[in-house]
Amino acid sequence: IELGDTSPDTYGSAAYCHLRAGNLMAAELAYNAAIVLDPQNIEWIEGKAQTMISGKRYAEAEALLRELIKRDSSKDVYRKFLANVYVELGQYIKAAEVFEIIHALGKGTSDTRLQLANIYSLHGLYEQSVETYLGASDEQIAEQLTHVLKGVEYLIEQDETSLATRLFDKLDG
């Protein structure tokens, strides 16, 4: 850049280096320049979204992630980031909707299932929470056993013993 190279690749590379070094303002400015010069390059938008998330600027990251999903809906990582951005923004129902889409597309993991079940539990949707846990494979349950047991405990604390028993039976079975 100092030598006069103002190509989008140069700005994008500089932005990436700044992001990795934790220089978020410089990364954002360089990604902005790269996007202005090459607005079709999805990598620059990804980088800017990462910069916004790293800077805890979740509302701005949400808009970028929605644009990324619009441009390439096959990348499930965009939806996972979007769901987590919604969690950070306190928009739990929107997060649950995105997690449901992830699972409907067959891209869910034990982590996304756990997050979805927790959102349901914390909002008093205990039946949906248990159904989310029960939809997990035995392998997914094993990966999250400690958290699932905490879910059982939470249900008992909420006087939802029949649901707690259903969930515990899944662990026992």
Side-chain angles (χ1 to χ4, degrees):
I1 295 174
E2 289 177 2
L3 298 175
D5 185 358
T6 58
S7 70
D9 288 340
T10 301
Y11 279 113
S13 296
Y16 178 80
C17 291
H18 282 297
L19 176 59
R20 294 296 163 237
N23 303 322
L24 299 181
M25 185 180 291
E28 179 184 0
L29 292 171
Y31 276 125
N32 285 341
I35 291 167
V36 165
L37 295 170
D38 186 5
Q40 298 308 313
N41 189 327
I42 201 165
E43 291 179 11
W44 308 148
I45 300 169
E46 283 180 16
K48 186 172 179 184
Q50 289 175 348
T51 303
M52 297 299 104
I53 291 169
S54 295
K56 300 186 185 322
R57 293 167 58 188
Y58 301 114
E60 293 165 84
E62 176 200 0
L64 293 165
L65 289 164
R66 288 188 140 320
E67 177 65 23
L68 288 167
I69 291 167
K70 186 171 127 184
R71 289 190 187 197
D72 186 356
S73 62
S74 68
K75 285 194 174 178
D76 54 294
V77 69
Y78 298 155
R79 284 188 181 83
K80 290 176 185 176
F81 277 121
L82 181 61
N84 286 308
V85 161
Y86 283 138
V87 168
E88 292 295 337
L89 290 170
Q91 297 178 12
Y92 301 106
I93 300 306
K94 284 186 175 183
E97 289 171 356
V98 176
F99 283 129
E100 288 286 3
I101 290 168
I102 291 168
H103 287 276
L105 293 172
K107 303 293 186 180
T109 65
S110 61
D111 287 333
T112 59
R113 188 170 292 282
L114 173 68
Q115 287 178 288
L116 181 58
N118 286 342
I119 289 169
Y120 286 148
S121 282
L122 294 174
H123 286 84
L125 303 169
Y126 305 122
E127 180 74 33
Q128 287 173 286
S129 177
V130 170
E131 289 302 321
T132 300
Y133 280 124
L134 293 176
S137 67
D138 290 340
E139 182 180 279
Q140 287 177 327
I141 292 285
E143 288 174 11
Q144 299 290 345
L145 184 59
T146 305
H147 296 289
V148 177
L149 286 171
K150 286 181 184 176
V152 170
E153 184 179 340
Y154 183 76
L155 288 168
I156 292 169
E157 290 170 3
Q158 303 307 309
D159 291 325
E160 296 289 340
T161 53
S162 64
L163 291 172
T165 302
R166 279 184 58 207
L167 184 53
F168 189 77
D169 287 346
K170 167 83 171 179
L171 301 174
D172 193 36

